[in-house]
Amino acid sequence: MNEQNSNKSILKLLEAFELVGITFISGYIQFLFDESVLNTYTLPLINKGSKIIRPTDFGYYDTLYKLIGKKIITAYEDEKEEKIKIRFDSDTELSVSLKAEDRNCAEAVMLQIEAEGKWNIW
């Protein structure tokens, strides 16, 4: 039985996972890991070094595609900045705003860890 995990530590379960695929769907992006799925309904910003790449910037989707095969080093909710941050071993970080004014719908992110039977929505 799947149950919602109200503890934000569910993001830590992503650490060491390898990104195996990305699906671009109208209005959101689905990040695929072994037996886990992360949907970002609020499109993430990409922090690469000192450069921030926004969804409207040239090369945004190419930069995301290049994350396939990379492992997650850290994943957490930054409550002060109201963001979810996911850092890959390629020194690239995704940040998804959880602020109401940045959302396209009621949810910003949904994470399903199928092997653990856990999920959460932000």
Side-chain angles (χ1 to χ4, degrees):
M1 179 176 174
N2 290 347
E3 60 184 56
Q4 183 174 9
N5 182 9
S6 60
N7 185 343
K8 304 303 186 235
S9 66
I10 188 172
L11 287 165
K12 290 202 79 49
L13 296 175
L14 284 177
E15 292 177 3
F17 278 22
E18 180 179 316
L19 183 63
V20 297
I22 300 175
T23 304
F24 300 104
I25 302 166
S26 179
Y28 71 99
I29 300 172
Q30 192 170 68
F31 295 88
L32 307 169
F33 305 92
D34 290 329
E35 299 185 28
S36 296
V37 177
L38 176 76
N39 292 336
T40 57
Y41 305 108
T42 300
L43 299 181
L45 297 181
I46 305 168
N47 302 304
K48 190 159 179 69
S50 61
K51 184 176 182 181
I52 296 176
I53 305 169
R54 292 174 170 71
T56 54
D57 292 344
F58 181 78
Y60 176 81
Y61 293 96
D62 293 330
T63 304
L64 287 177
Y65 176 79
K66 290 177 185 175
L67 291 174
I68 295 174
K70 305 298 183 201
K71 288 188 179 184
I72 293 178
I73 295 173
T74 60
Y76 63 96
E77 180 180 347
D78 184 329
E79 292 181 6
K80 183 179 177 183
E81 291 188 25
E82 296 182 64
K83 294 180 182 180
I84 288 178
K85 294 185 178 185
I86 301 170
R87 178 166 291 282
F88 290 84
D89 62 4
S90 60
D91 198 33
T92 301
E93 182 180 82
L94 300 181
S95 63
V96 182
S97 175
L98 300 176
K99 296 177 182 176
E101 62 266 21
D102 294 333
R103 295 179 183 225
N104 299 320
C105 60
E107 299 87 13
V109 176
M110 182 177 74
L111 174 61
Q112 296 172 289
I113 307 285
E114 294 176 19
E116 301 281 331
K118 295 182 180 182
W119 60 279
N120 205 7
I121 297 173
W122 290 262

